[in-house]
Amino acid sequence: ETGVTQTPRHLVMGMTNKKSLKCEQHLGHNAMYWYKQSAKKPLELMFVYSLEERVENNSVPSRFSPECPNSSHLFLHLHTLQPEDSALYLCASSHGGQGASNEKLFFGSGTQLSVL
Amino acid sequence: AQKITQTQPGMFVQEKEAVTLDCTYDTSDPSYGLFWYKQPSSGEMIFLIYQGSYDQQNATEGRYSLNFQKARKSANLVISASQLGDSAMYFCAMSPSGGSYIPTFGRGTSLIVHP
């Protein structure tokens, strides 16, 4: 199995739909992240969980709702999205978030989201 | 606040040649880490190389090396002997030490390797 697995790989949804993105890591890491990658924009950090507690919430609209039931799983629940939310959503994990500056991230392949 | 600048939106290199991808950064933190990640068309970001701000020597990982110039706040990635599989987006990132270790990413550089 790959280290970080994201499903689905592609998602098309209407503005009134509710859907969820799933991320699972098999690396024994304690920190998990959601990033948004739009065309022509830098990678945007959305949420960070460390030991299942949310430690970062980067002014993300409430139509995005994260959930971290355990250290291996991370979800991003989506509802009433806008077309500008169309992007690649990347999940990542890292060892433990102990404040070390050498904390490298392990990424999944992402979910390409299109909002119609 | 931290900032990462990658000024080259796109780069081209001939197969087997070396290429340098530029990265400059700005931070007030005395201790930090610098990273390069590769993102092929499949989407997954792959860690390539790490340099600590207090490391005396430039980091190397196989064909990748990091040209770290602390006074100039630059951390350029050098890829030697380019291969067709090196064609991808490359992102420079920086993490401070201490409480907020979460990395800041640059906008990326698209590298195309020609046969």
Side-chain angles (χ1 to χ4, degrees):
Chain A
E1 289 188 14
T2 56
V4 180
T5 304
Q6 288 187 246
T7 53
R9 288 297 309 274
H10 302 273
L11 178 63
V12 179
M13 59 187 289
M15 290 164 58
T16 58
N17 292 158
K18 290 184 180 181
K19 297 285 184 183
S20 296
L21 309 185
K22 180 182 176 182
C23 177
E24 186 174 0
Q25 58 97 359
H26 309 277
L27 301 168
H29 289 166
N30 290 319
M32 295 188 77
Y33 309 70
W34 279 117
Y35 281 91
K36 176 184 179 183
Q37 187 176 30
S38 307
K40 301 180 182 178
K41 280 189 171 183
L43 206 61
E44 299 174 61
L45 178 67
M46 299 178 74
F47 302 103
V48 181
Y49 279 81
S50 179
L51 296 170
E52 299 153 47
E53 285 191 23
R54 192 188 306 180
V55 296
E56 188 87 15
N57 177 352
N58 245 14
S59 302
V60 179
S62 59
R63 57 186 184 268
F64 296 91
S65 174
E67 179 190 1
C68 187
N70 54 62
S71 59
S72 298
H73 294 85
L74 185 65
F75 295 90
L76 188 63
H77 303 300
L78 316 171
H79 63 97
T80 59
L81 293 192
Q82 305 297 311
E84 60 264 29
D85 297 322
S86 298
L88 179 68
Y89 289 83
L90 289 164
C91 174
S93 69
S94 67
H95 278 286
Q98 297 299 314
S101 61
N102 62 349
E103 187 91 347
K104 69 183 182 187
L105 300 181
F106 295 76
F107 286 83
S109 297
T111 294
Q112 186 65 53
L113 174 67
S114 297
V115 181
L116 305 179
Chain B
Q2 305 160 88
K3 186 177 179 182
I4 294 281
T5 302
Q6 294 180 254
T7 57
Q8 307 153 314
M11 290 285 286
F12 297 88
V13 66
Q14 201 75 23
E15 194 178 10
K16 301 180 185 177
E17 299 287 313
V19 63
T20 298
L21 306 184
D22 295 342
C23 173
T24 57
Y25 60 92
D26 192 17
T27 182
S28 56
D29 291 290
S31 178
Y32 48 89
L34 295 155
F35 305 78
W36 278 91
Y37 290 85
K38 171 185 178 182
Q39 187 180 35
S41 57
S42 59
E44 181 182 351
M45 300 265 278
I46 302 164
F47 165 78
L48 294 179
I49 194 166
Y50 164 81
Q51 177 85 44
S53 59
Y54 288 110
D55 292 345
Q56 296 296 313
Q57 292 191 325
N58 286 342
T60 60
E61 290 283 351
R63 295 187 298 111
Y64 304 109
S65 60
L66 202 151
N67 184 0
F68 180 46
Q69 298 186 48
K70 193 171 182 178
R72 299 176 65 178
K73 294 189 176 180
S74 75
N76 298 339
L77 177 71
V78 180
I79 305 175
S80 63
S82 298
Q83 301 172 357
L84 296 179
D86 293 334
S87 295
M89 285 291 293
Y90 289 82
F91 292 89
C92 181
M94 179 175 66
S95 288
S97 62
S100 181
Y101 55 89
I102 297 161
T104 299
F105 284 81
R107 288 180 174 266
T109 295
S110 173
L111 176 66
I112 296 176
V113 181
H114 288 300

